[in-house]
Amino acid sequence: QVQLVESGGGLVQAGGSLGLSCAASGSIFRIRAMGWYRQAPGKQRELVATITSGGSTYYADSVKGRFTISRDNAKNTVYLQMNSLKPEDTAVYYCNADVQDRNYYWTSGWGQGTQVTVSS
């Protein structure tokens, strides 16, 4: 079984910065892509950014140039640095990882979510 635990988040004023981290633990053989999603009240969950094990990244247009995703493969951890935050970035942020466990089964794991609130 694989667990994803997020940390970071909180309340920040518009224009400020926050950092999120998400550590995967458990029966892990390897991790493929890791990413961050978010869900604002009344809206569907949307992709924010992803990063492959080789470091290739993808960003949603809405966060490009403001957010940076990174990962530490040795620590099975993914990070999201969020700068120039806007009120519309307010959402619950979830991390996601494609994990192959030690029985060689692939699963897509999710964190519990962490609230990010940006005040205007």
Side-chain angles (χ1 to χ4, degrees):
Q1 195 172 4
V2 175
Q3 297 83 37
L4 296 173
V5 178
E6 296 141 350
S7 59
L11 174 64
V12 65
Q13 288 188 331
S17 299
L18 279 176
L20 306 179
S21 64
C22 173
S25 63
S27 176
I28 298 172
F29 178 66
R30 61 174 170 164
I31 300 177
R32 200 160 47 191
M34 302 184 82
W36 290 93
Y37 291 72
R38 67 186 181 186
Q39 187 167 18
K43 295 188 177 181
Q44 288 188 328
R45 190 173 297 189
E46 63 176 0
L47 174 64
V48 176
T50 62
I51 185 168
T52 67
S53 57
S56 297
T57 58
Y58 167 84
Y59 295 94
D61 287 342
S62 58
V63 307
K64 208 171 288 184
R66 300 187 298 121
F67 290 11
T68 302
I69 189 170
S70 61
R71 66 189 280 177
D72 185 332
N73 290 330
K75 296 181 178 179
N76 292 329
T77 299
V78 63
Y79 306 93
L80 186 68
Q81 178 63 37
M82 304 180 291
N83 299 327
S84 302
L85 282 160
K86 304 175 181 179
E88 51 264 42
D89 294 318
T90 296
V92 178
Y93 284 70
Y94 299 89
C95 71
N96 173 264
D98 291 331
V99 179
Q100 187 177 31
D101 67 20
R102 296 180 191 217
N103 293 317
Y104 306 112
Y105 291 118
W106 284 97
T107 185
S108 181
W110 291 91
Q112 79 282 4
T114 186
Q115 178 70 46
V116 171
T117 302
V118 184
S119 63
S120 57

